[in-house]
Amino acid sequence: MPVFSVTGDVDPFLHVSLKQGETIYCESDAMVMMETALDLKGKMTGGLGSAIMRRFANGESFFQQHIEAVRGNGDCLLSPTLPGAIEVVDVGARQYLLNDGAFVAATSGTEMKVRTQSLGNALFAQSGGFFVMETSGTGQVVVSGFGSMFQLDVEPGKDVVIDNSHVVCWDNTLKYEVSVTTSGSGGIGGFLGNIVNSVTSGEGIVLRFSGAGKVFVCSRNRDAFLKWAASGGKAS
């Protein structure tokens, strides 16, 4: 199996070592460098239907990059779109759901499928709309997070609430639902009132995880950073 390793402390690379005949696939434009023993091809993995579903779920290109060691052993360097940490995740016994932009690369024994979400999660969770990416198969999947990354272990009876913008990926056995960080109803009542109060107070819509499994989170909020950058670095 190809060997993934993370190299560098700040904005690291994903270093991949392949033996002849081995293949990986990665997000579009992830390849930074590769040795001449390797070939790079754009492929529509899983056919047109799967490509369209991935486009809706995660904003991915229709074509993924496939890197194969054709003429002998070879190495390559990959890099995610946003600066931040990289995590190599084993899949098989565990499978994971991925938030927008988290996917970097995977071994050929895995597949990125599309899973539908509930109406509430689709409208408010911002994790792919009605669809979300889910791993399958056996091997390794590499994910990235904006900023540093941390692994949380969710245990039965100890639910965890996380701002969705900081969620990278989570165990598919976990139950997750939309919640908000405010409890006031503002006179409107119910969930709608909480949404209104959340928006006006600056508190965010969050995901509440329950059950037993792992969640990977990142330290930076991509949307908040983009708003800060667009404002010229002024606090909102």
Side-chain angles (χ1 to χ4, degrees), residues 26 47 50 64 183:
C26 56
S50 295
Q64 292 175 322
S183 59

Side-chain angles (χ1 to χ4, degrees), residues 84-182:
I86 296 173
E87 188 77 27
V88 181
V89 180
D90 293 320
V91 299
R94 292 178 183 269
Q95 301 293 345
Y96 292 86
L97 300 175
L98 274 60
N99 213 339
D100 296 348
F103 174 73
V104 177
T107 55
S108 59
T110 66
E111 185 179 347
M112 301 303 301
K113 294 187 175 181
V114 176
R115 173 168 154 178
T116 58
Q117 297 196 99
S118 68
L119 177 61
N121 288 346
L123 294 177
F124 298 112
Q126 298 178 341
S127 53
F130 286 99
F131 309 104
V132 64
M133 299 292 292
E134 182 176 20
T135 65
S136 64
T138 301
Q140 292 183 318
V141 173
V142 182
V143 295
S144 68
F146 187 23
S148 300
M149 207 179 312
F150 186 77
Q151 177 185 305
L152 294 169
D153 292 312
V154 181
E155 300 176 1
K158 294 183 179 180
D159 294 1
V160 175
V161 177
I162 308 170
D163 185 305
N164 182 65
S165 297
H166 292 271
V167 176
V168 177
C169 65
W170 63 97
D171 195 316
N172 72 348
T173 61
L174 289 171
K175 179 182 178 182
Y176 67 103
E177 58 185 12
V178 172
S179 184
V180 289
T181 53
T182 179

Side-chain angles (χ1 to χ4, degrees), residues 32-55:
V32 175
M33 179 282 298
M34 68 179 189
E35 295 180 337
T36 56
L38 308 181
D39 273 357
L40 175 83
K41 296 180 180 179
K43 294 184 179 180
M44 192 180 292
T45 307
L48 179 60
S50 295
I52 291 173
M53 294 290 279
R54 285 196 304 271
R55 181 71 173 178

